[in-house]
Amino acid sequence: LRHMSTCRFGCAGQSLYEDLDVLVGGLPASLRLLRLDLGFTSLRSLGRLSSLAAPSLAHVSLRLTGSALETVQGLEVLATLPIRRLELWLLSLPLRDLAPLTIVLPALDLEELTLSVSHCPDLAPASVRELRAAARRLKRRRGRQLTMWLDLQDIRLCLMIGVERTHNTTSTR
């Protein structure tokens, strides 16, 4: 386990409050890829991720769907890791705010970003707009070094080649 470089963990319909602590706390420092697929769980927060210490971690994929997740608090830990590829899927969640992600996203040195926030009825449109602005700041800072795909509620952006699609309209930027 000390030399493991990949962790793929999937769980559905489970109580994960303490279990996420055990999982994250047991990950080796040599970890390069972390993929968590958590669906329909009792997880309310990602605060448990704050103990993640993997100085070689290059790829993080979090697929969170249909759980009790109300906040993305805990994602701030991403700024302390050398992540090059981030996949974040937040689907059918009672999220209310994306502020922690909005703050950390522009600071990351990503080469690839896949971000989907969809079917989150409690999420304020202003929070989605702020996340979109944070993604644009990241794209401006990283330029051609970043490939990005966003699906934010009713806004779909493809910034890989500078083409933006919003509600069936296309414009080049």
Side-chain angles (χ1 to χ4, degrees), residues 1-8 23 26-34 54 56:
L1 188 65
R2 277 190 358 221
H3 302 291
M4 181 177 71
S5 65
T6 300
C7 176
R8 291 185 175 105
L23 175 67
L27 293 173
S30 61
L31 191 67
R32 296 198 39 79
L33 183 147
L34 174 63
S56 300

Side-chain angles (χ1 to χ4, degrees), residues 92-107:
S92 300
L93 301 170
L95 285 172
R96 292 195 174 95
D97 185 24
L98 297 169
L101 183 58
T102 299
I103 293 166
V104 76
L105 191 61

Side-chain angles (χ1 to χ4, degrees), residues 34 36-37 46 49 59-65 69 71-76 78 83 85-91 93 95 98 100-102 104-105 108 110 112-118 131 149-152:
L34 174 63
L36 298 177
D37 294 327
L46 298 173
L49 290 178
H59 180 173
V60 173
S61 177
L62 300 174
R63 297 168 187 238
L64 310 166
T65 181
L69 193 70
T71 180
V72 292
Q73 195 76 36
L75 289 181
E76 300 89 346
L78 297 177
I83 297 169
R85 183 174 180 196
L86 176 62
E87 298 175 41
L88 187 58
W89 303 82
L90 305 170
L91 308 170
L93 301 170
L95 285 172
L98 297 169
L101 183 58
T102 299
V104 76
L105 191 61
L108 299 177
L110 298 175
E112 293 181 35
L113 172 64
T114 301
L115 178 59
S116 181
V117 178
S118 185
L131 183 58
W149 181 83
L150 303 176
D151 179 4
L152 303 177

Side-chain angles (χ1 to χ4, degrees), residues 18 30 35 38 40 53 85 92 119 153 158 161 172:
E18 285 84 18
S30 61
R35 178 175 172 170
L38 307 175
F40 305 98
R85 183 174 180 196
S92 300
H119 296 65
Q153 297 284 70
C158 178
I161 55 174
T172 303

Side-chain angles (χ1 to χ4, degrees), residues 102-154:
T102 299
I103 293 166
V104 76
L105 191 61
L108 299 177
D109 285 326
L110 298 175
E111 293 171 0
E112 293 181 35
L113 172 64
T114 301
L115 178 59
S116 181
V117 178
S118 185
H119 296 65
C120 300
D122 297 336
L123 193 56
S127 188
V128 175
R129 285 191 300 274
E130 289 168 8
L131 183 58
R132 178 182 179 199
R136 285 176 175 253
R137 286 192 304 275
L138 173 65
K139 180 62 179 172
R140 273 193 303 273
R141 189 173 65 75
R142 297 291 296 158
R144 292 185 185 265
Q145 298 171 345
L146 176 66
T147 301
M148 178 185 299
W149 181 83
L150 303 176
D151 179 4
L152 303 177
Q153 297 284 70
D154 293 327

